[in-house]
Amino acid sequence: MTTSGAFLAGGLAGRSTQARGTTPGVTSAGAPMRIGTVALTVRDLDTVSRFYQQVIGLAPVETGSGLVRLGVGETVLLELRHDPAAPLASPRAAGLFHTAFLLPTRADLAQWLLHAAELGVPLQGASDHLVSEAIYLADPEGNGIEVYWDRPSETWSWRDGMIEMSTLALDLNGLVATVKTRDWAGLPSGSLIGHVHLQVGALDPSDRFYADLLGLDVMCRYPGASFLASGGYHHHIGTNIWNSRGAPVRPEPTTGLADVEIVADAGAFETVRSRLSPEQAAEATSTRLPLRDPWGTSVTIASR
């Protein structure tokens, strides 16, 4: 989510303050399906790689010819694929809205914010979403980024079977007040990609792919957006049509999102496999299900 006016329509009017159906300890990583590695196609590999290392705090895990894989410890979160001839993706095309890096604690987010401020990094927004606090920016080639932390799941509120989310002003002073020492050394252990937010051409076919085929649950709806997740999390995948309503199938190649990997436990993996069409099943292996959503965005289901 961002500070887009579309979210203000959700508001707080009539919001139930009673949590309903909330399970303590729900996390993005603990769900049967979660985000693994996000792959981006970039024109300037050195510049973009340096940005994710210096600004976001990722570390190199593997490098090769035209490829850099970055992460936390030995866990790869982001794969950068070099294509200097790739046309720049249109901001109105289907594809990536943002990649969301989830930090373990509020103090971790505050440390990162102070680090970004010291570097003079331009930010695009900062929001309190009730379930989380988030800061927004973009990489040098315009790929959206969210850096956030989750409030404990037992504090999330529900209304009509949906998790309550909104977009409120983030208390930046309260956030940075949690910092006790200035010891930024990159993203801390336990950081991961908590969710990926996508631009799509229409919500109904998007829901059929991400909910009906992949089996994600619709957790929240806003005007022009759906938020879907596994295991009771607030969202692993967001989809919206704010900039991309009516977008056609993505042209290739372009810069931007190359693939979203969703890591699934054995039960979830086999459930998705059982729903594949013969054409989709023909591309499957015993550990990976390479798929494309209705706009050609690559989504790979990987067996955990």
Side-chain angles (χ1 to χ4, degrees), residues 100-110 127-135 146-153 155-156 170 175 178 195 233-234:
F101 295 92
L102 174 58
L103 278 56
T105 70
R106 193 173 194 234
D108 293 326
L109 180 62
S127 300
D128 181 339
H129 294 308
L130 304 181
V131 296
S132 63
E133 292 180 310
I135 298 166
E146 175 181 341
V147 183
Y148 76 114
W149 84 288
D150 279 329
R151 291 192 171 95
S153 61
T155 70
W156 302 349
L170 180 59
L175 178 63
T178 64
H195 67 267
Y233 189 59
H234 54 75

Side-chain angles (χ1 to χ4, degrees), residues 74-91:
E74 297 301 313
T75 301
V76 176
L77 302 182
L78 188 70
E79 180 176 288
L80 302 177
R81 303 175 182 177
H82 190 209
D83 185 351
L88 287 171
S90 166

Side-chain angles (χ1 to χ4, degrees), residues 17-304:
T17 58
Q18 169 115 20
R20 180 165 60 86
T22 300
T23 303
V26 172
T27 64
S28 179
M33 302 177 76
R34 59 172 176 79
I35 303 299
T37 300
V38 170
L40 302 177
T41 298
V42 301
R43 297 169 73 170
D44 188 335
L45 183 61
D46 290 343
T47 296
V48 177
S49 175
R50 188 164 54 249
F51 174 89
Y52 281 99
Q53 293 177 60
Q54 295 179 353
V55 175
I56 303 303
L58 300 178
V61 178
E62 178 185 350
T63 60
S65 178
L67 182 75
V68 174
R69 307 186 85 201
L70 304 170
V72 175
E74 297 301 313
T75 301
V76 176
L77 302 182
L78 188 70
E79 180 176 288
L80 302 177
R81 303 175 182 177
H82 190 209
D83 185 351
L88 287 171
S90 166
R92 303 190 66 82
L96 185 67
F97 192 60
H98 60 241
T99 302
F101 295 92
L102 174 58
L103 278 56
T105 70
R106 193 173 194 234
D108 293 326
L109 180 62
Q111 286 273 18
W112 179 83
L113 176 60
L114 291 175
H115 163 73
E118 288 177 347
L119 294 179
V121 177
L123 302 180
Q124 297 178 333
S127 300
D128 181 339
H129 294 308
L130 304 181
V131 296
S132 63
E133 292 180 310
I135 298 166
Y136 298 92
L137 66 161
D139 75 15
E141 295 192 359
N143 296 296
I145 298 168
E146 175 181 341
V147 183
Y148 76 114
W149 84 288
D150 279 329
R151 291 192 171 95
S153 61
E154 55 267 31
T155 70
W156 302 349
S157 294
W158 295 68
R159 181 176 62 186
D160 300 328
M162 297 282 182
I163 287 180
E164 290 273 52
M165 294 193 284
S166 190
T167 296
L168 309 175
L170 180 59
D171 178 6
L172 294 174
N173 290 331
L175 178 63
V176 299
T178 64
V179 174
K180 305 304 181 186
T181 61
R182 300 295 298 278
D183 54 358
W184 171 259
L187 288 190
S189 176
S191 300
L192 66 149
I193 296 178
H195 67 267
V196 175
H197 198 148
L198 302 172
Q199 296 192 160
V200 299
L203 294 180
D204 284 348
S206 172
D207 285 354
R208 286 194 292 272
F209 179 84
Y210 290 100
D212 298 348
L213 178 61
L214 300 193
L216 298 176
D217 298 315
V218 177
M219 305 301 291
C220 183
R221 294 192 189 276
Y222 272 90
S226 294
F227 299 92
L228 307 98
S230 173
Y233 189 59
H234 54 75
H235 68 296
H236 289 100
I237 293 289
T239 61
N240 76 66
I241 56 172
W242 300 327
N243 301 317
S244 55
R245 183 189 297 270
V249 173
R250 297 175 57 194
E252 290 188 326
T254 64
T255 61
L257 186 62
D259 183 70
V260 177
E261 180 187 60
I262 298 177
V263 181
D265 67 19
F269 183 85
E270 291 304 323
T271 297
V272 177
R273 183 198 290 275
S274 72
R275 295 175 176 147
L276 299 183
S277 68
E279 294 77 14
Q280 292 167 327
E283 302 296 322
T285 71
S286 61
T287 59
R288 298 182 75 80
L289 310 176
L291 303 170
R292 289 189 180 271
D293 79 2
W295 299 274
T297 296
S298 177
V299 178
T300 301
I301 310 301
S303 178
R304 186 174 302 178

